[in-house]
Structures are given as structure tokens and as C-alpha cells.
Amino acid sequence: MATPIGNLGDLAPRAREVLASAGVVAAEDTRRTGQLLARLGLERPLVSLHEHNERRRIDSLLSRLHAGEDVAVVSDAGTPLVSDPGLLLVRAANAAGVEVRTVPGPCAAIAAISVAGLPTDRFVFEGFLPSRAAARRARLDGLRSESRSLVFYEAPQRLADSLDDMAGTLGETRRAVVARELTKLHESVYHGTLRELADRARSDPDMSRGEIVVVVEGASAPPAATAAAEIDRVLRVLLKTLPPSQAAAIAAELTGAGRNACYARAMSLREP
Ligand code: SAM
């Protein structure tokens, strides 16, 4: 079940009810969830469920579920399983035929996408980038031509370096948004190109304070000239061994261009 990412007022009434009636609350950090329960005036048994003990906890939690108890799974903030523990337990419960129900609510990735003003019809959640520079750049390199908006969680101390690497690999002029401390007192949303945001992150210490989501617009379609050059390149290779009609059919499939256009181009590229 989801809990607030900052503002307690975002706890859904149904989330409160489920917490109040749970047989046990499986929490990423029992101290933190204990504080949440206390603020809600609730008292429930808590067990820890975090990345280091989740596998070990499964049998005892499944026994409680089989005995008819409700187990509420809660992470430190937001939605469990989204860059947070819970996957192993949910998977085990599904496999054991135990009903798993959701209490949806806050999620930083969705909150950021909803204020970024970048395309939201299709987006990719990338979670945290690797902390080591070489691995981070390799991950970003694989996203270079991704046309959907990209959503990253980022640690404050790595924000400037990550934005620099994004500008270097995805393009200096790509539009992006840094959303920090959403729903909290210092909520701020910074808009700009990746280069502008990277430079600002170096000069403005406030920008890297607190919890941060970065949203980056997807790659735009290659310009027509690039697409035409690519079609020619593919056709030239295919025409070495295939007649124009077959070369055009394969080129159309490989490049996404129209078959008739490829055929016309194949005819003009054909050796006389
Ligand atoms: N499960 C959580 C969710 O549903 O969003 C995310 C957990 S992940 C361990 C924590 C990361 O989420 C933070 O490092 C930050 O990138 C992002 N985050 C969480 N709360 C945030 C907030 N209020 N504003 C901006 N980003 C936040």
C-alpha cells in the first residue's frame, strides 16, 4: 500500500483504514512507519521488510496470511515495489494463491511526470542510474534513441554529475525537468535543457537538496535527411545480392519507411 512521499495529507482514507485493521504491518523501516502510525493515532504490530531480509521473511509472513491475517506492506515513502522492497513477497504470495490487493496512492515518479510538462502519453521509468560514472554513462548510452520520456530517481549528491552525463549522452539541448521535494515545504520544479540544468545544479546548492526525480524528454525522430541516408545505406547492401523488389521489402521492414518509397529508391540506386 502507498504512503505519502512528504505530505501526510496525501494518505488516502482507505490506506488509513487498511493500516488500522492490518494484522501486521511489514515495513521497510519499522521506526519510520512507527512514526507514521503514531501521527495517525494508530498502533499496530510491525515487522521489518527490507532488501536485506525480504527473502528470509517470506515464510513467516505467508504463514500469517494463510492463517487469515492481513499483512500491509509499506515502504518508507510512496509505493512499495517501485525502487523499494516488496517484490519477493508479492511474488511469493501470488505463487501461494494468496490474494494480493493494492491500496494505490503517492509515487514520486508519477508525481514528477504530472508537473513536468513533458510528454506523458508514453514514458519509461528508469529508477536509479548506477552510481559509478562508467556504468551510468553506459546505461544512458543505451537510452540515447529512446523516444519516450525518461523518468529517473536521483540521489542529491549525484545530481550534477548525472545531469552532466545526460547532457553528454542524450544531448545538451534536450528538455528536462528536475522535481525536488515534491509535496513538501521546499517543493521546487526546475525546467530547462539538460545543459542548463546541469550548469544550474553546479552553481545552485539548493537544487541538489532533498529528494529528486529527473524527467527527460524522449529522443526526437531522426531528421528526414538522416532517415534517407539510412535507407540508402541499407538498400546499397541489399542490392548487392537481391533484386530491387526484395531489397525494397527488407529495407522497408528494417527502416520503417514505406515499401513503395524504398522500391523507387532501389530502382534509382540499382547499378545500370
Ligand atoms: N517507492 C517510492 C515511490 O513510490 O516513489 C520511491 C522510493 S525510492 C527508494 C526514493 C526516491 O524517490 C528518492 O531518492 C527520490 O528520487 C524519489 N522521491 C521520493 N520522494 C520524493 C519527493 N517527495 N520528491 C521528489 N522525489 C522523491
Side-chain angles (χ1 to χ4, degrees):
M1 55 175 291
T3 55
I5 57 169
N7 189 324
L8 189 61
D10 293 335
L11 187 88
R14 193 160 75 87
R16 190 184 195 290
E17 279 165 30
V18 169
L19 277 176
S21 64
V24 62
V25 178
E28 183 180 9
D29 178 343
T30 50
R31 210 171 51 92
R32 197 156 160 171
T33 301
Q35 286 164 357
L36 172 70
L37 292 176
R39 287 173 75 185
L40 297 170
L42 302 173
E43 218 174 301
R44 301 309 304 148
L46 287 158
V47 294
S48 67
L49 185 79
H50 47 68
E51 58 173 329
H52 303 297
N53 73 359
E54 186 168 356
R55 199 173 293 281
R56 280 204 312 277
R57 280 275 190 254
I58 286 176
D59 285 347
S60 64
L61 288 171
L62 280 184
S63 306
R64 296 179 87 140
L65 287 160
H66 283 307
E69 253 186 273
D70 282 339
V71 175
V73 177
V74 174
S75 62
D76 284 354
T79 302
L81 281 79
V82 179
S83 295
D84 264 343
L87 173 63
L88 301 181
L89 179 61
V90 167
R91 201 181 264 166
N94 283 334
V98 173
E99 189 183 13
V100 181
R101 298 183 65 185
T102 181
V103 183
C107 172
I110 300 298
I113 259 286
S114 73
V115 291
L118 294 172
T120 50
D121 47 346
R122 298 172 77 213
F123 60 88
V124 190
F125 174 62
E126 278 291 321
F128 289 95
L129 284 166
S131 51
R132 295 188 35 191
R136 180 168 65 233
R137 285 176 202 143
R139 174 80 61 85
L140 289 168
D141 214 39
L143 294 168
R144 217 186 259 269
S145 55
E146 173 57 65
S147 59
R148 294 169 287 186
S149 293
L150 301 158
V151 185
F152 301 94
Y153 285 164
E154 196 44 274
Q157 70 276 15
R158 281 198 291 274
L159 179 67
D161 287 347
S162 287
L163 288 170
D164 262 338
D165 287 344
M166 287 179 193
T169 47
L170 304 178
E172 309 271 327
T173 56
R174 274 239 215 150
R175 285 186 308 149
V177 166
V178 171
R180 65 175 273 265
E181 294 291 89
L182 295 172
T183 78
K184 303 189 211 176
L185 183 63
H186 297 293
E187 172 165 345
S188 340
V189 180
Y190 304 82
H191 300 259
T193 63
L194 280 172
R195 173 48 51 211
E196 287 163 355
L197 290 169
D199 290 347
R200 178 151 186 194
R202 296 248 175 252
S203 62
D204 175 358
D206 281 347
M207 188 170 165
S208 318
R209 288 206 174 101
E211 300 199 275
I212 294 164
V213 182
V214 180
V215 186
V216 185
E217 75 174 340
S220 35
T226 315
E230 177 65 3
I231 293 166
D232 281 7
R233 192 188 66 77
V234 171
L235 280 171
R236 281 203 177 90
V237 175
L238 294 169
L239 284 168
K240 284 184 187 160
T241 52
L242 294 172
S245 58
Q246 276 185 39
I250 296 172
E253 199 154 314
L254 289 176
T255 63
R259 193 188 269 229
N260 288 344
C262 287
Y263 182 71
R265 195 66 197 137
M267 291 305 282
S268 58
L269 286 175
R270 201 171 48 152
E271 297 285 321

